[in-house]
Amino acid sequence: MRTTDAPMTKVLPLLAALALTAAQYAIWRYAPVEATMGLVQKIFYYHLPMSWWAMVSFFIVFAASIAYLVKRDPRWDRLAGAAAEIGVLLATLALVTGSLWARPIWNTWWTWDPRLTTTLIMWFVYAAYLLLRSAEAGGARGPTVRAVLGVVAFLDVPLVFYSARMWRSVHPAVFGAKGGGLEPEMWTTVLVSVSAFGLLWLWMLLARVAQLSQAQRLDALMVWDEEDR
């Protein structure tokens, strides 16, 4: 999983910057202002992509953890760690932007809605996963312990996605029976925003995996140097 010299890691930052610039134009100039919520609705174009790519990140943690348990290859453990870090970052930003939207619309920063509650639980679970990684708990069996937690933690992710449909929720359903009430220009802006954040997500993931790989090599060199002494 060598990524430091891969052409993709050199091209992706430029593609992500261009896509994010296009997304800004679409959000503020192309998409119409929503009649009821006004300009605050435009937070949606940031909130939704960050929420989706956070869940994609956690799926990567899930898949990479299974791969590690099967193959015992440390590259999968590094991929799971990188995806978890990015997922927690995006989930944090999704919670913050959701609160910024909720304040003028619901007249409160937070409510214990099923979607919000399950999302917060998901955030705590993966934050605990990162704390476990940073503490290097489990010693030699640490990667196995982390992989098991990475698999179990994913149980909450589908619950977050379906919570607004399973229980009575005030959280708006984007993909309702009538398209969630979005105009065609809004749908285009959603697609542009999701794609732009996807390019940014992929670049961050590859860059972070490369950093973790280099850090592991440096640690190994330090151990060998100490043994030579």
Side-chain angles (χ1 to χ4, degrees), residues 26 29-30 40 78 81 83 104 108 113 140 150 152 160-161 163 170 214 220:
R29 302 291 295 177
Y30 177 70
V40 72
R78 292 196 295 269
T108 182
D113 176 78
V152 175
V160 172
F161 186 80
S163 58
V170 296
Q214 292 294 337

Side-chain angles (χ1 to χ4, degrees), residues 68-181:
Y68 177 82
L69 292 173
V70 173
K71 299 184 176 181
R72 303 292 172 172
D73 189 331
R75 291 179 298 178
W76 294 112
D77 178 57
R78 292 196 295 269
L79 177 59
E85 291 176 1
I86 296 169
V88 170
L89 171 63
L90 292 177
T92 302
L93 293 173
L95 287 169
V96 170
T97 52
S99 293
L100 292 174
W101 176 87
R103 177 57 179 156
I105 302 303
W106 294 342
N107 199 32
T108 182
W109 294 102
W110 181 265
T111 181
W112 293 103
D113 176 78
R115 171 64 63 82
L116 302 183
T117 303
T118 52
T119 301
L120 185 61
I121 292 171
M122 180 182 71
W123 186 91
F124 275 116
V125 169
Y126 283 97
Y129 173 88
L130 291 181
L131 286 175
L132 185 67
R133 291 188 69 92
S134 64
E136 298 184 356
R141 294 181 58 82
T144 301
V145 174
R146 295 194 294 264
V148 172
L149 179 57
V151 173
V152 175
F154 188 72
L155 294 175
D156 187 54
V157 176
L159 195 61
V160 172
F161 186 80
Y162 289 108
S163 58
R165 295 165 176 80
M166 294 170 59
W167 297 295
R168 193 179 187 88
S169 174
V170 296
H171 192 283
V174 178
F175 297 103
K178 297 182 180 179

Side-chain angles (χ1 to χ4, degrees), residues 46-58:
Y46 302 94
H47 175 74
L48 179 70
M50 289 188 289
S51 300
W52 280 9
W53 287 109
M55 288 193 281
V56 171
S57 299
F58 297 144

